[in-house]
Amino acid sequence: MYARQSSCPADFAEVTVDFEPWEEGITFEAAATPATRGYVEGPELAAYRDAFGEGIREELTGLGAGITVAVAVVLREVRVHEVDSHPGAFREVGRVAVRRALALAYGPPPRPKRRRR
């Protein structure tokens, strides 16, 4: 879930996804009938799905040199807010989903060491 509400405009996007080992590369697909909570029309939902997939790809391709990506991501559920949801929020939730999946699979990223004076 990604929500930023400090003032207007706000951002809201919530998804349920599965990350699965796959062949080398990134495969993104929506379940045959992904559940949708909140009212959204077909073209708008397609734009949200595309932005979500874009965020996943951006985060995975930015992992660094020497890291091989081999994952399938399946979108199971989408929740929208009629005012605060937009493609940018879904792109960001794609990035957040990758970070959370990696933390669950491999533990949190190492913290930078602080220099003592």
Side-chain angles (χ1 to χ4, degrees):
M1 177 172 151
Y2 173 69
R4 181 187 62 84
Q5 295 200 270
S6 57
S7 63
C8 289
D11 300 328
F12 181 87
E14 184 175 326
V15 296
T16 302
V17 294
D18 290 333
F19 282 81
E20 304 168 355
W22 202 249
E23 299 172 3
E24 189 172 325
I26 303 165
T27 300
F28 172 69
E29 62 184 59
T33 54
T36 305
R37 295 182 3 204
Y39 178 74
V40 62
E41 294 187 15
E44 192 175 15
L45 182 59
Y48 294 166
R49 276 194 308 250
D50 291 346
F52 176 69
E54 192 177 297
I56 287 171
R57 286 182 186 89
E58 287 172 2
E59 192 70 18
L60 287 171
T61 56
L63 289 177
I67 297 177
T68 302
V69 177
V71 67
V73 183
V74 181
L75 179 63
R76 301 284 179 198
E77 183 177 2
V78 176
R79 183 172 171 215
V80 298
H81 184 275
E82 64 184 55
V83 175
D84 296 334
S85 290
H86 54 84
F90 277 88
R91 186 172 40 257
E92 186 60 29
V93 84
R95 297 178 74 102
V96 169
V98 169
R99 287 184 224 131
R100 287 186 179 174
L102 290 172
L104 285 171
Y106 302 108
R111 296 174 126 187
K113 293 188 179 199
R114 296 190 314 183
R115 298 177 112 184
R116 294 185 184 214
R117 294 179 186 212

